[in-house]
Amino acid sequence: MTNISPQEMAGKLMAEGFSRSGPAAQVLSDPVTDNPMVVTLDDLRPYELDPRLTRNPLYDEIKASIRERGLDAPPPITRRPGADHFIIRNGGNTRLAILRELWSETKEEQFFRIYCLFRPWPERGEIIALTGHLAENELHGSLTFIERALGVEKARELYELESGKSLSQSELARRLSADGYPVPQSHISRMQDTVRYLLPTIPNVLYNGLGRHQVERLAVLRKAAELTWEKYACEKALATDFETLFHDVLAPFDGQPSSFSGGRVQDELIGQMSELLGIDYNVLELDVDSTEHHQRAVNSPPQLPVDTAAVIKTVGASTSTPGSTRTHGSSSDTSETASNDTATPLSPLQTLTPGTSSGEGDTDAHLLGHIVSPANNTERLQAIQQMVAEHSGESLPTFADNVLQAIPVQAGGLFPISDVWYIEPGLDSPDRLRIHIAQFAQEIAEEAQLVDHIEAVMAGIGFTCSPPHQGVSLPAFGRMVLALLRALSIHYAAEPDQGGLRLGDSLGALLLGADIRDAEAPPRLSDNGLVKLFRLVRLARRLLDLEANPDETNH
């Protein structure tokens, strides 16, 4: 090693320090992995796209807990690249607002400096943040339906910005599910209709918490009424269009959810349509009701077929003793309570619990053995029926609960049958009974391809039969079916004797079938048609009782 002189050593020690040639860092970069840190309220901002637009219903309880115990569950935080402040990553805007309130009220340091878990901003940060807030808000104080709908609509915009193309409802549902916020496609359809058609007209009712079932019923009503309007408005010069009419009818109902009535909206809408179109109110009501049922069936997942359906074991389902019975006209006990957005009544294919077994073998086999055709009752429709029943103080019977107690049969159709005898309160009026009776008559006639011979009317028991055209000869089965339906209706509709339709000796063959040795005998009425005939007779008897005693309200 070369010797250094004292002068050289002194020169090196007195030399200037090293200097950086590049720019100096002003702040430290964010961690690249999850990292705990302490931030202040000055460093933290709420998430700007938070789907919650109204006050959290649990706000006061959360505030009281934080005041007493401190922040047990600090919100996760993140930061956009280049931003100068942190934001809530998923959920926690309510807690942040409460901390600001408590800091303002108390000036206690525990409310100002917060221990949080920082997570780096992901590659698809905006979408991940929004879906995270949607999912987290569902877990901690559920969102209102309109808040959820607006959140999903914003997510759609972000997905379309990401992909550069518009998305179908099914694709949007798939992407939301992949990002941790599953929403059925049918719900997305209702959400989009709500944002487009309902929010501009009744914002106060929606933001104040109108429930999902009421919103969906309103959306279905709007669509059904629009289709009915288009059917009758063809080639008519009208002073208004349907969209304007619907807005004008709905706007006066923009008050409080507690006073909102979907039935009143429907009554007012059909009433004004009747005046503008010059069509009888009852005719329009029948069309709208039929279209509503069709819309629900189209937009709901289909039931599994009976021969391949897996019977679901339900833990905690309502039970009954083997000897329990039910008086005709009253409903069985049910334990489900429908809430605003979470009601999930039992499916018609769910089994009875062991206590309901009759001791004749496997309960599942008994249940499936009593189903003539599966009823396409969706969970949404069952939840609405349950809410209506609870509001009126009734208990809604379910097929699985009553299969071994009441009249154990089920049949599908526009108005599915799970109990031949029970008449729910919403059906117990002459006009509604006639609508159902006419529908059952048309479905029975359809077996003989004679549906065009049944006309729904708002008189008698709800339908009339027209004879075959002159010179047209009906098959034997068709003549028997038409004669049976006409025999039921003729005495109550003041019909003249048309077409020489007589039951004669054919009633037994129609209901029971002909002798097996008679190869040319016409077929008997199907089991499905027989159940509908029983239901038609039950409703017609009730209708006649109501008209004979208008003040009677119980059945």
Side-chain angles (χ1 to χ4, degrees):
M1 179 176 179
T2 305
N3 291 329
I4 300 176
S5 66
Q7 292 80 7
E8 289 175 334
M9 181 65 74
K12 290 183 179 291
L13 292 173
M14 298 295 291
E16 292 183 3
F18 294 104
S19 61
R20 293 177 58 91
S21 59
Q26 299 297 318
V27 295
L28 294 175
S29 61
D30 289 332
V32 295
T33 60
D34 291 3
N35 194 61
M37 61 173 60
V38 176
V39 296
T40 68
L41 294 181
D42 293 338
D43 300 325
L44 193 54
R45 302 284 187 277
Y47 177 58
E48 302 90 336
L49 301 181
D50 183 21
R52 186 180 296 285
L53 304 174
T54 56
R55 180 185 173 94
N56 189 322
L58 302 176
Y59 189 96
D60 293 334
E61 290 87 341
I62 297 172
K63 182 176 180 180
S65 175
I66 294 177
R67 183 193 296 273
E68 295 298 324
R69 299 170 49 85
L71 195 60
D72 286 337
I77 63 173
T78 188
R79 180 155 56 184
R80 293 185 178 92
D84 59 357
H85 60 268
F86 298 99
I87 61 171
I88 303 295
R89 186 177 186 273
N90 56 342
N93 279 0
T94 296
R95 282 169 283 171
L96 179 58
I98 289 172
L99 288 170
R100 293 189 185 281
E101 274 192 18
L102 291 173
W103 166 247
S104 176
E105 294 169 5
T106 67
K107 298 302 180 184
E108 294 182 18
E109 192 73 8
Q110 63 169 327
F111 302 131
F112 181 71
R113 296 187 182 277
I114 314 164
Y115 176 86
C116 295
L117 176 64
F118 173 85
R119 288 188 170 179
W121 184 257
E123 182 181 352
R124 303 171 61 244
E126 294 296 348
I127 292 175
I128 297 301
L130 178 56
T131 53
H133 276 270
L134 281 166
E136 197 67 21
N137 274 302
E138 290 288 357
L139 296 175
H140 302 93
S142 61
L143 297 170
T144 63
F145 185 84
I146 188 59
E147 288 172 332
R148 192 180 303 112
L150 290 171
V152 169
E153 184 66 14
K154 184 62 181 178
R156 181 189 61 78
E157 294 175 8
L158 294 177
Y159 283 126
E160 291 181 349
L161 187 63
E162 178 185 52
S163 63
K165 61 180 182 181
S166 60
L167 299 181
S168 65
Q169 292 176 358
S170 58
E171 176 62 15
L172 176 56
R174 188 192 68 77
R175 296 197 180 204
L176 286 168
S177 180
D179 286 328
Y181 186 64
V183 181
Q185 183 272 328
S186 59
H187 287 193
I188 291 176
S189 175
R190 296 284 180 259
M191 289 173 174
Q192 291 182 350
D193 285 349
T194 301
V195 172
R196 179 178 177 184
Y197 299 112
L198 304 184
L199 182 58
T201 308
I202 52 171
N204 292 327
V205 168
L206 291 172
Y207 283 126
N208 283 327
L210 191 66
R212 173 171 67 87
H213 299 302
Q214 290 175 291
V215 173
E216 290 182 344
R217 179 189 176 190
L218 200 55
V220 171
L221 169 63
R222 190 207 67 79
K223 184 62 176 177
E226 183 179 29
L227 293 173
T228 302
W229 174 275
E230 291 173 353
K231 173 181 176 181
Y232 291 104
C234 183
E235 299 181 359
K236 287 187 178 181
L238 301 172
T240 187
D241 58 13
F242 179 80
E243 191 168 337
T244 303
L245 171 65
F246 185 76
H247 178 278
D248 292 344
V249 167
L250 192 58
F253 293 90
D254 190 25
Q256 291 295 322
S258 58
S259 61
F260 186 85
S261 170
R264 289 174 56 203
V265 173
Q266 176 171 332
D267 182 65
E268 182 67 22
L269 179 60
I270 294 177
Q272 293 202 25
M273 287 173 60
S274 176
E275 292 181 10
L276 290 169
L277 296 172
I279 306 294
D280 182 73
Y281 178 99
N282 293 320
V283 173
L284 292 179
E285 183 182 33
L286 178 61
D287 265 354
V288 169
D289 282 345
S290 299
T291 307
E292 277 190 76
H293 284 286
H294 176 72
Q295 287 295 313
R296 290 192 181 100
V298 167
N299 287 285
S300 301
Q303 297 277 358
L304 294 173
V306 174
D307 55 350
T308 60
V311 180
I312 304 169
K313 296 287 185 182
T314 306
V315 179
S318 55
T319 60
S320 58
T321 60
S324 62
T325 58
R326 184 170 65 89
T327 304
H328 286 167
S330 64
S331 57
S332 65
D333 295 334
T334 56
S335 59
E336 297 85 7
T337 301
S339 66
N340 233 13
D341 293 319
T342 59
T344 310
L346 292 175
S347 163
L349 294 182
Q350 287 175 327
T351 67
L352 302 173
T353 54
T356 59
S357 174
S358 63
E360 298 177 0
D362 184 50
T363 304
D364 301 350
H366 282 296
L367 179 60
L368 293 180
H370 287 302
I371 296 177
V372 173
S373 62
N376 292 324
N377 272 0
T378 64
E379 289 187 356
R380 181 184 307 113
L381 179 58
Q382 292 177 57
I384 293 173
Q385 292 171 335
Q386 183 71 24
M387 292 175 66
V388 172
E390 290 181 354
H391 180 73
S392 61
E394 294 279 335
S395 295
L396 191 66
T398 59
F399 176 70
D401 288 340
N402 299 293
V403 64
L404 302 178
Q405 304 174 38
I407 301 179
V409 69
Q410 181 182 107
L414 182 59
F415 301 123
I417 301 168
S418 61
D419 188 323
V420 172
W421 195 257
Y422 176 76
I423 299 175
E424 57 267 37
L427 175 58
D428 199 24
S429 68
D431 288 346
R432 299 291 299 174
L433 289 169
R434 286 190 177 96
I435 291 171
H436 282 239
I437 291 169
Q439 181 62 33
F440 289 134
Q442 290 172 342
E443 291 179 8
I444 294 169
E446 193 172 6
E447 289 193 17
Q449 300 180 349
L450 296 174
V451 67
D452 292 338
H453 290 264
I454 305 300
E455 181 182 357
V457 295
M458 297 311 291
I461 65 168
F463 70 93
T464 59
C465 301
S466 59
H469 298 295
Q470 188 171 4
V472 176
S473 177
L474 296 177
F477 179 64
R479 290 198 307 272
M480 289 191 296
V481 170
L482 199 57
L484 172 61
L485 293 174
R486 186 169 181 274
L488 293 173
S489 66
I490 187 172
H491 298 295
Y492 309 104
E495 285 186 4
D497 185 10
Q498 298 173 345
L501 293 172
R502 291 284 188 276
L503 274 175
D505 299 329
S506 62
L507 180 59
L510 179 63
L511 299 181
L512 305 178
D515 192 306
I516 192 171
R517 292 166 295 182
D518 187 356
E520 297 182 358
R524 68 181 181 183
L525 196 63
S526 71
D527 291 345
N528 207 32
L530 187 64
V531 173
K532 292 172 182 177
L533 177 64
F534 291 157
R535 182 63 170 170
L536 185 157
V537 171
R538 162 62 175 149
L539 297 184
R541 288 161 62 98
R542 176 59 184 163
L543 169 63
L544 298 176
D545 288 344
L546 283 178
E547 296 207 321
N549 303 285
D551 296 331
E552 184 182 352
T553 57
N554 297 319
H555 59 280

